[in-house]
């Protein structure tokens, strides 16, 4: 069976398993992350109090940690949740939002890595290059990078943290250090709404909760995001209606559409 | 005048009074709760700092407490707000989100009951069964319960907390211990968006701020939610567009439509 | 060149510059603020942890402070961010949400003024009258004021805080103490969705990040909000679909439309 078929099957696996995704995420796009996970077929649970997360994480299929608006209480919670994930064998997907612009983020990532576990890091190209120790152009939470050298950056970060790494941009790069893929699908409209990056990370966590192969589950989730985005962009040219159609498209996407429209280069 | 007519009149009462609903609620669906209350005809005010809530609650027509993402600061605030509600005669609607999965929630509910007041508890069937001390199937924040024994669970919780209790699911059960009702309206699409339960609770608080009869106000609010959901499902088959149409349908709903479409069994 | 032309040019300036708007804002409408800024052409960054804001504010084109759901942590952060803005010459737009109903808000505004800087205050008419020391009718976070005396209230607040002041309502009043304007555009549907006021404030911060003339930038931002609202109201009569169309309309608005539809009285 070729890899493209396996990507499509992971979409179905999410829908069959309804993985419980424990998310600790930023307040800007927390609603978008919950809705995209529901449309994907997963069951989101945003549980973030430091009194709750250790015990709750053990119930989950996967843990999504997004460092966007990391409050002091969330800072404690993400460490505790990651420790619980390590203890109980739960895969962890990390979105290192603005790690280059805000030094505190890097410290927290270091502690998650040391005390807990990280199975997948999904960032924009600027964030991944920063984690790789490379220069990159950013503005606030957004990457202004053109993507040159992105795959090499992913490989460096994969080696450093021992996990799957994805760098998203006009093209998306994914590697586990050995296998790599480039996704050519997508739409410029993702840059006109907030939360495209966060929703991509949430889907990666959904897929990680339904498939043991973290590399393929990550490629499948990011491909799902981008093919659904293309479908939505056919129906809506402006950000407000695009956003609504995008959630519909995630829900309507099936294996056949993903196989037909997906444009993945395996490296 | 029969009960169905009174349910419809409560919808109009909300629009005539514009009750100020003081909400302390989770960050996932806080925007949805504000928007659904505005479309319903109420005036939402999300005030949650522990320095503010005691004084603010006295200005309100009703208080909505939703324990979804209960931060440490919110934990203090819900107690203070409930104490103020007790002192100043403000009705309190409680949504015990995930009380079965997260033990801390039950402690907080106990303190709200002891120090403040609870007029209505609105949960999913799994949550209500848990509060009744019965077993139930849940996954994260969602109930997987089929609804057998739900009304009996509502009665047990109504007796324990001395309040109106509603358990929502494919059918919705409401009781004040003496009078009971079952609502047959609704749509499966509510399970494909986040916040259907939270919005139902928010509407219960809106109705409680416009009617003295907490049993009928709760039935009216839940019926409004479900009839509007059915209307939206006629226009949209997918979650993103359903969600937008649902807010429109709440706004467009009137007494005639509620009476014509409402399917309530009085027990 | 007349003022109306300059208002239109500020819209284009935002799109050309893509100002980075550092926002510390309430959790009810934080997603709406991010999306409206993106559709406007700005780059929003919601950075609010007290460990991050001082260093982050210096990177921004402008700082938006909205006191809606001010947590204890945000209370520290808004002061630190405003101090950084003062130190680094970053313009600050303040939305004094519910300052009349909640005394703590006034204390925080005083400290922002004393320790940091305030370039623009954008409130509803009730809030601005309260800051001016005048009586006004309010309900929770909403103003019930008819607008009589609003411009005089703006002038008093402009004098007190030494900044541009805008009071929004069915008509909008803006002054820098010398120059004044009244905007006649708008739609009643803004009162049926949450976040219209917050989004207006966010746009004021976007414009302040792209133009040195804070009076004209504020008039331009509020005019953009209202003309886009009128466009959306032509397409949607209900709150859910209005909200979606409004984001589309902000994105689609151009200089020609703003000049043609804008109804500004210069005083």
């Amino acid at each position: 069976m070729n890899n493209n078929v396996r990507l499509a099957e992971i979409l179905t696996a999410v829908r069959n398993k309804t993985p419980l995704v424990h998310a600790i995420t930023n307040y800007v796009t927390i609603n978008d992350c919950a809705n995209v996970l529901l449309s994907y077929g997963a069951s989101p649970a945003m549980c973030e109090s430091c009194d709750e997360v250790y015990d709750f994480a053990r119930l989950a299929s996967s843990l999504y940690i997004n460092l966007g608006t990391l409050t002091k209480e969330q800072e404690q919670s993400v460490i505790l949740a990651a420790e619980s994930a390590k203890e109980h064998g739960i895969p962890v997907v990390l979105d290192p939002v603005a790690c280059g612009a805000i030094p505190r983020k890097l410290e927290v990532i270091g502690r998650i890595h040391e005390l807990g576990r990280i199975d997948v890091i999904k960032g924009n190209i600027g964030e991944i290059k920063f984690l790789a120790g490379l220069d990159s152009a950013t503005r606030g939470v957004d990457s202004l990078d053109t993507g040159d050298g992105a795959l090499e950056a992913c490989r460096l970060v994969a080696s450093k943290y021992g996990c799957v790494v994805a760098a998203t941009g006009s093209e998306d790069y994914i590697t586990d250090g050995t296998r790599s893929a480039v996704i050519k699908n997508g739409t410029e409209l993702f840059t006109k709404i907030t939360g495209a990056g966060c929703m991509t990370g949430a889907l990666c966590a959904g897929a990680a909760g339904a498939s043991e192969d973290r590399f393929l589950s990550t490629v499948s989730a990011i491909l799902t995001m981008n093919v659904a985005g293309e479908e939505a962009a056919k129906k809506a040219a402006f950000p407000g209606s695009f956003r609504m159609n995008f959630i519909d498209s995630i829900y309507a996407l099936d294996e056949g559409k993903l196989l037909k429209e997906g444009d993945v280069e395996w490296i």
Side-chain angles (χ1 to χ4, degrees), chain A:
Chain A
M1 186 171 57
N2 74 31
N3 274 344
N4 291 324
V5 173
R6 294 180 67 193
L7 297 183
E9 289 181 346
I10 289 169
L11 174 61
T12 301
V14 170
R15 283 154 183 185
N16 289 339
K17 184 177 176 188
T18 318
L20 177 62
V21 179
H22 177 186
I24 304 174
T25 189
N26 72 73
Y27 300 150
V28 186
T29 64
I30 188 169
N31 182 276
D32 297 324
C33 288
N35 273 314
V36 83
L37 281 169
L38 283 164
S39 281
Y40 191 35
S43 175
M46 276 62 182
C47 170
E48 60 165 60
S49 175
C50 52
D51 290 342
E52 302 173 2
V53 293
Y54 189 90
D55 288 334
F56 195 80
R58 68 191 302 166
L59 307 174
S61 308
S62 60
L63 173 65
Y64 176 50
I65 297 177
N66 175 304
L67 304 179
T69 52
L70 194 72
T71 63
K72 299 295 281 178
E73 185 174 356
Q74 282 186 327
E75 183 177 335
Q76 294 178 57
S77 296
V78 296
I79 308 300
L80 287 167
E83 287 177 332
S84 180
K86 184 180 189 178
E87 178 72 20
H88 301 107
I90 312 295
V92 176
V93 176
L94 174 74
D95 194 333
V97 182
C99 59
I102 300 171
R104 170 187 177 229
K105 303 287 175 82
L106 194 59
E107 290 170 45
V108 174
I109 294 167
R111 285 195 282 150
I112 293 170
H113 184 234
E114 182 191 351
L115 302 172
R117 62 184 270 177
I118 302 176
D119 295 77
V120 179
I121 295 176
K122 193 288 312 164
N124 63 37
I125 290 172
E127 290 154 358
I128 298 302
K129 284 197 176 172
F130 176 79
L131 292 179
L134 304 171
D135 286 337
S136 184
T138 59
R139 178 176 53 220
V141 297
D142 294 319
S143 172
L144 301 177
D145 200 290
T146 54
D148 285 353
L151 188 54
E152 187 51 31
C154 288
R155 287 193 179 115
L156 285 167
V157 178
S159 167
K160 190 169 175 182
Y161 292 93
C163 68
V164 170
V165 175
T168 59
S170 58
E171 295 189 336
D172 307 303
Y173 304 86
I174 303 101
T175 190
D176 65 358
T178 307
R179 297 173 289 172
S180 300
V182 183
I183 297 175
K184 309 286 179 69
N185 301 87
T187 165
E188 185 69 14
L189 277 168
F190 278 140
T191 67
K192 308 301 182 192
I193 62 168
T194 192
C198 307
M199 289 190 281
T200 302
L203 294 188
C204 290
S211 166
E212 293 291 320
D213 189 327
R214 308 286 175 234
F215 170 68
L216 285 182
S217 72
T218 302
V219 178
S220 179
I222 297 175
L223 184 68
T224 296
M225 181 83 193
N226 283 295
V227 171
E230 288 180 356
E231 292 298 302
K234 290 176 190 167
K235 293 179 186 152
F238 296 140
S241 43
F242 168 73
R243 201 174 156 232
M244 181 194 78
N245 279 287
F246 167 68
I247 295 292
D248 283 358
S249 295
I250 287 278
Y251 187 79
L253 201 67
D254 59 21
E255 286 197 19
K257 176 70 84 178
L258 201 64
L259 263 171
K260 177 160 175 271
E261 302 294 339
D263 185 1
V264 182
E265 182 185 349
W266 302 96
I267 295 170

